[in-house]
Amino acid sequence: MPELKKSLMDLGNRRLATVPPSAIREFDNEITTIPGLIKLTLGEPDFPVSDQVKQATKKAIDENYSHYAPSFGFIALRQEISQYLDRRYEAHYDPEHEVVVTVGATEGIYAAISALFNPGETILVPTPAFPLYETVAQVNGIQVIEVNTAPAFLLTAEKLTAVLTQHPEIKGIVLNYPNNPTGATYTHEQLEQLAAVIRQTDLVVISDEIYAELTYQESHLSLGKLLPEQTVLISGFSKSQAMTGYRIGYLAGPRQLIAMVGKMHQFLVTTAASPMMMAATEAVAHGEIATTEMRETYLQRQQLIMAALTQSGFTAPKPAGAFYIFAKIPATLTQNDVEFSYDLARSAKVGVTPGSVFGSGGEGYVRLSYAASTENLQEAGRRIQQYVSAKAKQAEGI
Amino acid sequence: MPELKKSLMDLGNRRLATVPPSAIREFDNEITTIPGLIKLTLGEPDFPVSDQVKQATKKAIDENYSHYAPSFGFIALRQEISQYLDRRYEAHYDPEHEVVVTVGATEGIYAAISALFNPGETILVPTPAFPLYETVAQVNGIQVIEVNTAPAFLLTAEKLTAVLTQHPEIKGIVLNYPNNPTGATYTHEQLEQLAAVIRQTDLVVISDEIYAELTYQESHLSLGKLLPEQTVLISGFSKSQAMTGYRIGYLAGPRQLIAMVGKMHQFLVTTAASPMMMAATEAVAHGEIATTEMRETYLQRQQLIMAALTQSGFTAPKPAGAFYIFAKIPATLTQNDVEFSYDLARSAKVGVTPGSVFGSGGEGYVRLSYAASTENLQEAGRRIQQYVSAKAKQAEGI
């Protein structure tokens, strides 16, 4: 319980000081102690890891995978990732030099943004977006231009062209599809149009495709296939294999870019945990059945909670991917999204995330994660309906 | 196998570009394919993880510790770390706000240096030192002043006072004891003198005490006890519990500093791997016997390889801690330390690390790690003796 020396109170990285801690986690921490709360706030599957993956992990423990792995990750895992990207997305990466295993997608995001851009340079982030991209940029002195994509939550080729004309200084762009928080994703045609614009520029794309396995309409089209010469692909196993706590993700891209982000990765963490990489090797090699089963369950849950929301007057585009609904708060409710989310948590015991934490375009919306149990989603739906109807009666003065 | 777009060849973080990749790993990669090579290059215990720790890890896998942990780490682990630091080193930290679990000490080093200093600020690094401190500073635009501590390899209070007088701009200092690469550590008296100087300044100390459990003379005195109001302590389980591949370390310090480095930690990796934290919880709670056994084995190995080196004409202070010998190449050999290390690897099939990769003061030395099997150390000793004696005969023209 040391007391910091008084004269040291002002030290520290000033860029870091200006960045708030994760607003998602902060809000979640504040409401988490409410008794009986059903939390739809977290981007975390409620499934356990598959038995196959558990067996492989325990085998790795027994077989003494307790020593340092190569910094880029075990070559067997990189080979499996390379084969998987080829098999599923027709994206071709050399496992030796074009794939790096990271500590979840988070470390991948930090390594990519910090390694590829200089302080003072500018990147474009379409919003609403997962706040980490912007945070990491800010910490590294990189400017961010937000592009508001509401209400369709997709960046169009036209809008991109307009922003690039206005801001020729932009060096890179972060794309995340299927999208957290909106559940939107690009059709093949939309993505091709976007790629056609980017191809005419010298932008680097950081393409976070961590939800690629969770699409409910068209199949996922990767920029690793469409625009590999300008793309660093970020993905991982957290979402599709329910392995969030195992902290394994990966980066793939042209050799020169991977050399840079891989060097940063080495300085950030040395390498990922060896037994966790053995788990991921099993998951990527034989995990497709588990993913298919999860996807079907998510779709049922999405329909269930969408029905309850629609009946309560919320509007949301039908989610095309990931496990989030980004719902517009009914006009009958007069609170802003932060007030609404606090009140819903306290009065109705349902935790949702205020849309404004995801940047411009998120105001007036809330994010609901349907990576929760069916039972909880049903009960949450009932509670939301009751809450909205009670508010309507209040407003009518009944 | 994407080809990077030609016009993108010049992008990327220029600070990162100026930093070489880990010279230790680079050298190791270059010699690693030599057939029959005995490698004494790595700072990695050859022991397996204890059965107790393995059992605890497998239990965590079975019990579905596959979800996100709190960003600072499971509170049970932080409590164990807090109790351990109290029990072993009389350093008192509140587990709730003053301890963060990191992805090995590496991530702790990155988080601490990047969070506590601003680009353009200056820190002091006594050398020879583990190169990562300087690398992380450079990547973050932080200036480094090296202080050459050869031949005793300890920073004296006098030298520190002199450097601070000359460079009043210095904001922080990195201490690492027991030291990698030299095996040196401070006596209680020396450390108290150093702390007395620092106490009169507004320096922050980043104190990397990862080898604290491996001392062979006096017991380890922590700056967490002696100077807690100015210290961020870095440690972990990699070295004392042979858990390098599990990637668990920790940071401890005054609440205000831990708030900063913990925030950076969240942006870097979100949190460490959940099953690996459960392993660490067992290791820190019940791992003291395993550590005691390892320490005894290391001491025997140290004596064995020291004897061989001394007979061959190398000089090295008797190592006080860690598992390295930093040996001065005999004057009879005319090569510099890099040439010598390459030649020893190729001709005698013994891999050692050239001292100059550890900064000023390391030229003319080599680092030998005795975290290798007794058999390999015996054979390496024989080979080194043969090599030196063959060189002596060559020089005499026999």
Side-chain angles (χ1 to χ4, degrees), chain A residues 1 5 7 19 92 201-202, chain B residues 1 5 7 92 201-202 263:
Chain A
M1 341 284 157
K5 191 174 179 182
S7 49
V19 179
H92 312 300
T201 70
D202 287 339
Chain B
M1 342 287 157
K5 191 174 179 181
S7 49
H92 312 298
T201 70
D202 289 338
K263 190 169 161 187

Side-chain angles (χ1 to χ4, degrees), chain A residues 84-99:
Chain A
Y84 160 85
L85 289 173
D86 180 71
R87 184 170 73 236
R88 291 281 296 156
Y89 302 111
E90 298 172 55
H92 312 300
Y93 292 103
D94 169 13
E96 186 74 38
H97 302 292
E98 297 174 355
V99 176

